[in-house]
Amino acid sequence: MPDSAILLPRATARTPRRARTGSGIELSVVIPCLNEAETVGACVEKACRAIREHGIAGEVILADNGSTDGSQEIAERLGARVVRVAERGYGAALMGGIAAAQGKYILMGDADDSYDFLELPRFLARLRQGYELVQGCRLESGGGRVMPGAMPVLHRWWGNPMFSALARWWFRAPIHDVYCGMRGFSRELYDALEQRCTGMEFASEMIIKASLREARIAEVPITLYPDGRRTRRPHLRTFRDGWRTLRFLLLYSPRWLFLMPGLLLIAAGALGYGFGMLRVRLGPATFDVHTILVASLAAICGYQSVIFAAMTKIFAISEGLLPLDRRMDRLLHVFNLERGLLGGAAAIAVGLALILVVVHRWVSLDFGALDYAATLRWVIPGVMLVVLGVQTILSSFFCSILLLRRG
């Protein structure tokens, strides 16, 4: 489904108020749809059949995103309840359908007949065992199966495994198939996650937030079948949606977007300073004042990146994008505004002192020519410390502003 917005502001209510539970419905199957007349009937029919044959107290909801091909009528005729969602986007459609669902548990799946809704009792069984999120897995690494022609080669062997590995590494998500669109989850978990993404990132957001909250997550191997559509192209676009997924993972991981690169730059700067100040020689190469200058650049950029990591984390927590982090709380108790101001002022004072040493030498020479190879060893560190001090003071104030909402 086409979509342009990524995050839904907290103060904006674009989906209907969620239905009250207590109707006796255990499972709500939500199927997002945009012009899927070729396949939506098979999906609804299988979902209704699984509910009926296994004696599940359930309902099937078609979250329609503005279909003009009669998808709604097909779904209603086969037993689904149609919820019309005006705002376009995969995530927006799901939000609207889930908001109208009455079940204790929700199962979502695409309307292209690539997922077998007859398998939904397996998801429900894991939910009944106490798991809060049950993720389907189509890939062999998680026990799943991909039928011939069901998934593009690039998606199957590179994109999906790579993004799934990043989710496991960065967020400790116990999953092998981050893109699988068939999953079940409890209403309680969904409400706690406060989903924001109205586009394709909706699914990734759920996995990331659930993992960060240390929710109980299980994986169910499933089979992926070829897309049943014949006259329409798939909604997924390989490189566009791949970039959007990578961007989203980075935005939700200040550690890997800002912190780790920043620490690497600071380490490179420290190494460069050591080599330059000591005039280290490695073969024909001599590391001198130019090395110190470049090392200062690395240190300044690295320090700014680390500061951005802290500010991004504070903002994400205050906006509910990331859960509370006890390590961040401890860090903020140590590095508060007053200590940041004192540290920044101290760095500026030391930096100015180093610069003044050179100024004094210049005055003693009646403002004559200086030995730049010698004086730059004082000026460059001095300038760097002044810059770092100013960055520290400004960022300390800005972090304090971000923390006002947390009290």
Side-chain angles (χ1 to χ4, degrees):
M1 277 163 277
D3 48 80
S4 56
I6 296 176
L7 296 181
L8 183 66
R10 299 181 78 185
T12 303
R14 302 189 186 180
T15 56
R17 186 180 300 275
R18 76 172 180 87
R20 294 183 179 274
T21 55
S23 60
I25 294 177
E26 182 181 24
L27 179 67
S28 296
V29 180
V30 178
I31 304 174
C33 176
L34 175 60
N35 293 325
E36 307 286 7
E38 290 181 290
T39 53
V40 69
C43 296
V44 171
E45 191 173 23
K46 289 177 183 178
C48 291
R49 177 183 164 190
I51 289 173
R52 182 176 63 254
E53 291 182 351
H54 289 81
I56 300 169
E59 64 176 347
V60 178
I61 295 174
L62 187 79
D64 188 72
N65 218 192
S67 296
T68 57
D69 64 350
S71 296
Q72 307 97 321
E73 291 76 12
I74 295 172
E76 284 181 329
R77 186 172 66 250
L78 293 170
R81 175 160 60 95
V82 175
V83 174
R84 289 170 170 79
V85 183
E87 183 178 357
R88 289 296 183 92
Y90 176 75
L94 283 167
M95 287 179 187
I98 295 170
Q102 302 178 63
K104 177 182 179 182
Y105 304 118
I106 314 293
L107 184 134
M108 56 180 261
D110 298 342
D112 59 7
D113 201 25
S114 59
Y115 299 116
D116 186 359
F117 283 89
L118 294 174
E119 296 189 280
L120 69 84
R122 299 171 57 210
F123 288 80
L124 181 58
R126 304 308 297 272
L127 290 168
R128 287 170 173 170
Q129 291 172 5
Y131 289 98
E132 298 170 276
L133 172 61
V134 182
Q135 173 75 5
C137 181
R138 306 162 296 178
L139 302 181
E140 288 83 352
S141 58
R145 184 184 181 190
V146 178
M147 299 299 289
M151 185 183 296
V153 173
L154 187 61
H155 295 192
R156 181 175 179 180
W157 300 111
W158 171 247
N160 210 328
M162 185 266 291
F163 286 123
S164 299
L166 288 179
R168 291 194 301 273
W169 181 18
W170 291 357
F171 306 103
R172 297 185 177 87
I175 53 94
H176 295 84
D177 187 2
V178 71
Y179 273 129
C180 184
M182 190 173 189
R183 67 186 62 174
F185 45 89
S186 68
R187 161 71 70 180
E188 185 177 0
L189 175 66
Y190 177 79
D191 289 344
L193 294 182
E194 296 184 340
Q195 295 277 135
R196 306 291 191 83
C197 295
T198 60
M200 297 299 293
E201 298 88 349
F202 178 91
S204 301
E205 180 189 12
M206 180 178 290
I207 291 174
I208 291 171
K209 284 187 170 181
S211 299
L212 292 174
R213 290 178 60 89
E214 299 181 350
R216 293 193 66 195
I217 301 174
E219 214 170 32
V220 170
I222 63 172
T223 299
L224 180 70
Y225 296 90
D227 188 330
R229 293 170 293 193
R230 295 293 177 266
T231 61
R232 298 186 65 251
R233 296 175 59 191
H235 297 301
L236 189 65
R237 300 290 181 268
T238 298
F239 295 103
R240 180 201 67 179
D241 292 319
W243 160 242
R244 289 178 62 163
T245 300
L246 178 59
R247 177 182 64 178
F248 185 76
L249 293 177
L250 287 170
L251 291 175
Y252 262 80
S253 182
R255 173 185 298 176
W256 296 104
L257 179 59
F258 295 120
L259 181 60
M260 299 310 294
L263 292 177
L264 287 175
L265 284 171
I266 291 174
L271 183 64
Y273 254 86
F275 276 38
M277 296 299 285
L278 297 175
R279 289 195 177 96
V280 172
R281 298 189 63 178
L282 293 177
T286 300
F287 298 90
D288 206 327
V289 67
H290 296 90
T291 305
I292 298 173
L293 183 60
V294 175
S296 295
L297 174 64
I300 291 171
C301 292
Y303 186 67
Q304 184 66 67
S305 187
V306 170
I307 290 173
F308 264 71
M311 293 190 295
T312 304
K313 186 86 171 186
I314 293 170
F315 175 79
I317 292 174
S318 66
E319 288 296 309
L321 299 174
L322 293 176
L324 293 175
D325 190 326
R326 280 173 288 188
R327 291 174 299 180
M328 177 60 68
D329 281 339
R330 289 195 295 267
L331 184 65
L332 292 174
H333 278 101
V334 175
F335 297 100
N336 55 25
L337 173 61
E338 291 73 20
R339 288 172 179 164
L341 297 179
L342 288 174
I348 292 173
V350 173
L352 290 176
L354 294 175
I355 295 172
L356 287 174
V357 168
V358 177
V359 172
H360 180 267
R361 183 173 299 180
W362 188 36
V363 171
S364 68
L365 294 174
D366 293 327
F367 304 102
L370 293 169
D371 180 1
Y372 294 121
T375 56
L376 286 177
R377 290 175 170 274
W378 295 81
V379 172
I380 294 174
V383 170
M384 182 189 71
L385 287 172
V386 171
V387 171
L388 295 181
V390 172
Q391 285 182 322
T392 302
I393 290 174
L394 295 179
S395 60
S396 296
F397 275 117
F398 190 72
C399 285
S400 296
I401 293 172
L402 293 176
L403 288 166
L404 287 177
R405 291 187 60 182
R406 299 182 65 192

